[in-house]
Amino acid sequence: MGNLSNNNHGRVRWALLFLLVLLLGNSLSLTAQTVKDRLPQTVTHPQTSKKNVDSILRLAGSKRDTATSTAMRLYYASMEDARMLRYNNGVARALSGLALCYNNNNEKDKALSCERLALHYCESNEEGIEVKVDLYILLSQTFYYRGKYDSSAFYRYAALDVLEANQVKDRRMQTRVYCSLLDFWLNINENISNDMHIQQVMGHINVLIDSAKIKKDTAALMMLYFYKAGYYNNVTKNDSARYYCQYSIQMGKSTKISPSMEAGLLINTALTYLDDKNPVPAIQYLEKAKALFPPNTPASNRHLIFANICLGQAYLMQQQYNKAVAITVPALQSAHERNMVHILTSRGNQVMADAFEALGQYKKAAAYRKTYSAIRDSMMKVEKLELVYNLEMKYRIADKNKELAEKQLAITRNESRIKTKNLLIIGVSAGLLLILMVSLLIYRNNLNKQKLQAEKIRNLRQELQIGNLQAMIAGEEKERSRIARDLHDGMGGTLGTIRTRLSAIFRRHTTTDVTDDFLEVLQLLEEASVELRKTAHNLMPEILLQEGLSKATALFCERVRKGHTLDISFQSIGTASGLSRNAELTIYRVIQELIHNILKHANATNAIVQIAWYDTQLAVTVEDDGNGMLGASQSDGIGLKTIRERVNSLNGELHIDSVPGEGTSVHIEITLKENTARHAYKTSDY
């Protein structure tokens, strides 16, 4: 039993490790408020917000130690909502909470992955800086439990560097960082009273305590007293350690202290009694700590391991050796399964060695003593002193050396001036380049404007020319219509009257009285009436107005075929659409003019007229097998000039392909307009 309290090697430095494990996971949730009643809306509402995400995170933090699976579900829900909102700090905090849950479940690799991933989501703002600091502290604990003290120290000082680089004055953030540093130095050095690093950190902690008292920051005071109690416990000032533990517990009752924090304070109080070799009150405090958590949960297992090993030591002091073995063996097994820190297992192995030795089971006692010695050897000063010296070279917690600071400041100022000059030169050059580019853009813009203006003028002239052509054609069509009406109603009526009178005279006389001349006059009169009707219909065909272009053209071709030796055929392809009446009349006149030219000049025996309707275009083709155009005089005649003008008035295109002796092909293309569409006709072939 005497070995339990041997000099500084028997001190309870593992208490500080326990404190940080418990405290780190709960420092962010000391002020967590329950939002259980709002949880369904928060998780499932499609219009979630950052405020709702923060509420879920606080609720998850309050559930982390007592209901780990529920806490993980809440962390995953808040992480998804934060990603949807692009709330990166929320994602980082959710991943940090998941890491703590995985640590509770002894899934260290998953915890480390979450911690590293969370660092990538920290934003460059005040909240992001706080999240990054907490992540560095969490990473330092993860590496400490793996025995990687250099990595653990690196992340603790990385957290301090973040505070100093961003000039963070937040008391709670400083509290977390300096308490983490104190925990490290308490466990890395045996000579606590004379350790320079510990004294420097304690100086910062005392300043923070004074500030927290002034601001009445109970949550910060709880944490600071928590670690101050651990410090006094390590320097064997157990009365002071118990005072700060009890004071923290009292403050915790008014601030809804977390179960982990309260359990840590109770176990630390028990440790002070064990150091004083007073096991009865130690057992009372340890049982209170175990009662804070429901059994068979990942979080409670962690506390049970700490508490049970301490209970084993208390029973050993009471000489209840079998009871000490019964409670320490499963605790050690759980500690090994969860990769707990060596200081903890070294205490447990020492308890087991002393208990078996007292029971006379010397082989088992020797085995546990050997394990204890191996663990202690791995933690001896040779390795740790080297780490301390390296840390002294790489990191700092004291004030900067004034001389070096002044030199660095001067260098920084010179670099700043040079940088300012370079920026000025770059700015002036960039300004000149920008002015040049703007000038070029203005010049190009003016050229484009001039081109656009010239194009507008050309378009206006073309529109004016087309307007004149359309007006001229409209005038011609009006005149044709008037002449057609005059012929039909005037001369047609007169000829009809004369024919009626002559027919009446013919009926009153016998055939013997009628001469051949009289019959010839009647015949000529009949032919004149027919020709007059044809002329009137050609001037203004009623079928064009009633049936459309295809029907009118087909009828015209049929009349030409009957009255002449020209065998003319007509084809209509597609469905008629998108052409106004005036445009149909213009095309009809063009077709008439082309056929008249064939009759007058081509000496053709066969001709084809084709009208093809497409979605946005009308194509007209007139071909013959006549003489073709023998010279430029024919291709530039009045008839073709009129045809060109009519096609231009419709914004169409005229193509003439003629080979002397082989005939002529005329192709016209006109773009249809939907706002002038007529009734559609089925495809016909005549």
Side-chain angles (χ1 to χ4, degrees):
M1 287 181 57
N3 292 332
L4 292 175
S5 57
N6 284 342
N7 55 48
N8 288 336
H9 293 285
R11 292 260 58 93
V12 285
R13 272 163 203 81
W14 62 274
L16 266 297
L17 292 178
F18 169 69
L19 296 183
L20 196 59
V21 172
L22 300 180
L23 185 59
L24 182 62
N26 296 278
S27 62
L28 296 178
S29 61
L30 293 176
T31 59
Q33 53 183 346
T34 302
V35 291
K36 185 176 181 181
D37 294 336
R38 296 164 53 194
L39 177 59
Q41 296 179 359
T42 305
V43 176
T44 60
H45 198 283
Q47 296 180 346
T48 187
S49 63
K50 290 184 179 180
K51 184 177 181 181
N52 293 336
V53 171
D54 293 339
S55 298
I56 303 176
L57 289 171
R58 287 194 295 272
L59 179 58
S62 68
K63 300 287 185 183
R64 189 168 55 236
D65 291 324
T66 56
T68 305
S69 59
T70 301
M72 292 181 71
R73 179 178 63 84
L74 292 172
Y75 280 126
Y76 275 115
S78 62
M79 182 168 60
E80 290 304 316
D81 287 345
R83 283 177 176 171
M84 181 182 67
L85 294 170
R86 296 183 179 178
Y87 179 23
N88 289 339
N89 284 335
V91 176
R93 290 170 59 194
L95 286 168
S96 177
L98 284 172
L100 290 169
C101 291
Y102 282 126
N103 274 325
N104 286 346
N105 293 338
N106 196 28
E107 297 179 272
K108 304 298 183 183
D109 291 335
K110 290 184 179 180
L112 186 60
S113 297
C114 288
E115 292 159 6
R116 287 173 170 169
L117 181 60
L119 286 174
H120 296 288
Y121 284 94
C122 295
E123 300 178 19
S124 300
N125 53 30
E126 185 175 346
E127 181 185 6
I129 291 171
E130 182 177 2
V131 175
K132 181 179 286 187
V133 167
D134 291 333
L135 282 168
Y136 281 153
I137 295 174
L138 188 57
L139 280 163
S140 72
Q141 287 301 306
T142 301
F143 283 112
Y144 190 93
Y145 285 127
R146 293 189 170 193
K148 297 181 178 180
Y149 304 118
D150 53 347
S151 297
S152 177
F154 170 81
Y155 281 109
R156 294 174 203 256
Y157 280 93
L160 180 61
D161 288 340
V162 171
L163 289 186
E164 294 184 347
N166 294 278
Q167 298 182 350
V168 176
K169 303 300 181 182
D170 183 79
R171 184 170 48 258
R172 296 193 181 186
M173 290 179 64
Q174 290 185 350
T175 296
R176 292 196 290 273
V177 172
Y178 283 111
C179 287
S180 173
L181 290 170
L182 176 62
D183 173 78
F184 178 78
W185 287 112
L186 287 177
N187 287 283
I188 204 72
N189 200 345
E190 298 289 343
N191 190 10
I192 295 173
S193 300
N194 299 320
D195 187 275
M196 175 188 66
H197 299 284
I198 293 176
Q199 298 309 316
Q200 289 174 341
V201 174
M202 283 302 300
H204 285 284
I205 286 179
N206 288 329
V207 172
L208 290 170
I209 289 175
D210 293 337
S211 175
K213 286 180 178 179
I214 294 173
K215 298 297 183 179
K216 296 181 179 180
D217 189 346
T218 306
L221 275 175
M222 282 177 54
M223 180 182 289
L224 291 164
Y225 284 164
F226 190 97
Y227 280 94
K228 195 164 187 177
Y231 169 77
Y232 282 122
N233 181 225
N234 276 267
V235 295
T236 66
K237 294 182 179 181
N238 290 322
D239 289 337
S240 297
R242 282 192 287 270
Y243 167 78
Y244 284 111
C245 284
Q246 293 302 317
Y247 196 64
S248 295
I249 292 174
Q250 291 176 3
M251 286 191 296
K253 293 179 180 179
S254 62
T255 58
K256 297 181 180 180
I257 187 173
S258 67
S260 294
M261 173 71 83
E262 187 174 358
L265 290 166
L266 291 170
I267 293 175
N268 269 1
T269 304
L271 290 174
T272 62
Y273 286 110
L274 290 176
D275 285 345
D276 291 342
K277 295 185 173 56
N278 189 357
V280 175
I283 292 173
Q284 293 174 353
Y285 279 102
L286 290 170
E287 292 295 344
K288 287 181 181 180
K290 291 174 62 176
L292 289 174
F293 297 92
N296 301 323
T297 62
S300 69
N301 288 340
R302 183 183 62 188
H303 299 285
L304 286 173
I305 292 170
F306 282 97
N308 286 337
I309 289 178
C310 293
L311 279 172
Q313 183 180 355
Y315 292 142
L316 182 65
M317 289 181 179
Q318 292 180 332
Q319 298 182 2
Q320 300 183 50
Y321 305 120
N322 290 323
K323 198 171 183 179
V325 170
I327 198 170
T328 306
V329 168
L332 275 177
Q333 184 178 356
S334 296
H336 286 296
E337 290 174 353
R338 298 172 67 85
N339 296 319
M340 290 221 169
V341 71
H342 291 167
I343 293 178
L344 172 64
T345 56
S346 68
R347 176 176 284 269
N349 281 285
Q350 187 179 15
V351 169
M352 294 297 295
D354 291 341
F356 280 121
E357 185 175 347
L359 291 171
Q361 300 182 31
Y362 300 110
K363 288 185 178 181
K364 291 184 178 180
Y368 279 105
R369 190 80 64 193
K370 182 178 180 181
T371 303
Y372 166 75
S373 299
I375 294 173
R376 295 301 301 172
D377 289 343
S378 67
M379 301 171 62
M380 289 303 292
K381 295 294 296 177
V382 175
E383 179 182 342
K384 290 189 176 180
L385 282 175
E386 183 180 355
L387 174 62
V388 170
Y389 292 140
N390 289 336
L391 290 174
E392 288 178 348
M393 297 297 294
K394 293 175 63 178
Y395 304 110
R396 61 172 178 75
I397 56 175
D399 295 333
K400 295 180 179 179
N401 183 281
K402 290 184 178 180
E403 182 179 355
L404 292 177
E406 290 175 357
K407 290 181 179 180
Q408 184 63 36
L409 181 61
I411 293 172
T412 303
R413 287 176 178 174
N414 289 332
E415 291 178 348
S416 178
R417 284 196 293 268
I418 294 172
K419 186 177 180 180
T420 302
K421 290 181 181 179
N422 292 337
L423 289 175
L424 182 62
I425 294 172
I426 293 173
V428 172
S429 302
L432 293 174
L433 182 61
L434 181 61
I435 292 172
L436 178 61
M437 292 178 63
V438 170
S439 300
L440 290 174
L441 289 174
I442 293 174
Y443 176 72
R444 290 184 60 183
N445 188 39
N446 288 334
L447 285 179
N448 290 333
K449 285 183 177 179
Q450 292 176 4
K451 291 180 180 178
L452 290 174
Q453 192 67 25
E455 186 67 24
K456 287 181 179 179
I457 293 172
R458 285 195 296 270
N459 291 337
L460 288 173
R461 288 177 178 174
Q462 186 176 4
E463 289 177 1
L464 181 61
Q465 184 179 7
I466 291 173
N468 291 334
L469 288 173
Q470 290 176 343
M472 181 184 68
I473 292 172
E476 290 180 356
E477 293 302 332
K478 287 181 180 179
E479 185 64 19
R480 286 173 181 269
S481 180
R482 185 187 65 77
I483 294 172
R485 286 195 300 272
D486 290 343
L487 289 175
H488 187 274
D489 298 337
M491 292 184 65
T494 302
L495 288 175
T497 302
I498 295 172
R499 188 181 60 182
T500 302
R501 295 287 301 275
L502 288 176
S503 297
I505 295 171
F506 178 75
R507 287 193 298 272
R508 286 198 301 268
H509 296 279
T510 62
T511 56
T512 57
D513 296 330
V514 178
T515 64
D516 292 336
D517 293 336
F518 186 79
L519 293 173
E520 185 178 355
V521 170
L522 285 176
Q523 182 64 32
L524 291 174
L525 185 61
E526 181 66 26
E527 292 177 0
S529 297
V530 172
E531 289 298 327
L532 182 62
R533 283 196 300 273
K534 289 181 180 180
T535 301
H537 284 297
N538 286 336
L539 288 172
M540 184 55 65
E542 292 294 331
I543 190 171
L544 178 65
L545 301 177
Q546 296 173 1
E547 301 293 340
L549 178 62
S550 295
K551 290 283 187 179
T553 305
L555 183 59
F556 176 73
C557 292
E558 181 66 23
R559 288 176 180 172
V560 171
R561 184 170 59 249
K562 289 181 179 180
H564 298 81
T565 59
L566 179 65
D567 184 8
I568 183 169
S569 62
F570 172 73
Q571 293 179 343
S572 178
I573 301 173
T575 303
S577 62
L579 205 60
S580 66
R581 288 186 177 182
N582 290 335
E584 286 186 344
L585 182 58
T586 301
I587 296 171
Y588 180 76
R589 296 299 185 202
V590 169
I591 294 173
Q592 280 185 321
E593 185 67 27
L594 289 172
I595 293 175
H596 288 158
N597 285 344
I598 293 173
L599 294 173
K600 292 178 182 179
H601 306 294
N603 293 325
T605 57
N606 296 288
I608 296 174
V609 177
Q610 184 186 76
I611 297 178
W613 303 88
Y614 303 104
D615 291 338
T616 60
Q617 195 177 61
L618 170 65
V620 178
T621 302
V622 179
E623 296 182 354
D624 67 79
D625 59 354
N627 299 330
M629 294 185 183
L630 301 177
S633 60
Q634 284 184 309
S635 61
D636 295 334
I638 296 176
L640 285 178
K641 183 177 181 181
T642 302
I643 291 172
R644 289 185 187 278
E645 290 177 351
R646 290 181 181 274
V647 173
N648 289 337
S649 69
L650 298 177
N651 287 323
E653 296 182 3
L654 175 67
H655 303 280
I656 300 175
D657 185 12
S658 180
V659 178
E662 295 183 7
T664 302
S665 176
V666 178
H667 185 70
I668 300 170
E669 294 179 355
I670 296 171
T671 302
L672 301 176
K673 295 182 180 179
E674 293 182 359
N675 59 349
T676 58
R678 291 174 54 88
H679 297 291
Y681 304 98
K682 294 182 179 179
T683 301
S684 58
D685 196 344
Y686 301 93

